[in-house]
Amino acid sequence: MAPRRLPRGTRVDAVSLGYKIERPQKERLDAIARNAGVSSAVLIEKMIDHLELTDQGIPVWWEPLPRDGELPIDSA
């Protein structure tokens, strides 16, 4: 059974990703998508939609960016 894809004409401004990643990560992405019953493209879109970001706009698991020049805000 082919992975489920979005219905034809659903995407309004679709673009092709041209990034190169290591084969093991690509194979893992494809396996996760297959387990979820969707295409890898649908999985990537959902991951982006559900990615939790910090106040700096980066993933919560990413090392924080320097805050040089920012004024501290008391949380009290």
Side-chain angles (χ1 to χ4, degrees):
M1 181 167 107
R4 290 188 315 237
R5 303 188 188 296
L6 295 178
R8 189 175 196 83
T10 300
R11 288 192 165 87
V12 177
D13 188 22
V15 296
S16 182
L17 297 179
Y19 306 117
K20 290 190 177 196
I21 63 173
E22 293 293 333
R23 185 174 309 278
Q25 280 77 15
K26 171 66 166 117
E27 290 172 352
R28 185 171 182 210
L29 173 72
D30 293 342
I32 295 167
R34 188 172 46 254
N35 291 343
V38 296
S39 68
S40 294
V42 170
L43 178 63
I44 290 170
E45 288 178 341
K46 292 291 186 183
M47 288 179 359
I48 292 169
D49 290 344
H50 292 89
L51 186 60
E52 186 178 353
L53 303 177
T54 68
D55 64 327
Q56 293 180 306
I58 57 175
V60 294
W61 42 264
W62 201 268
E63 185 170 332
L65 300 172
R67 293 195 177 262
D68 298 337
E70 290 185 22
L71 297 174
I73 298 176
D74 292 334
S75 59

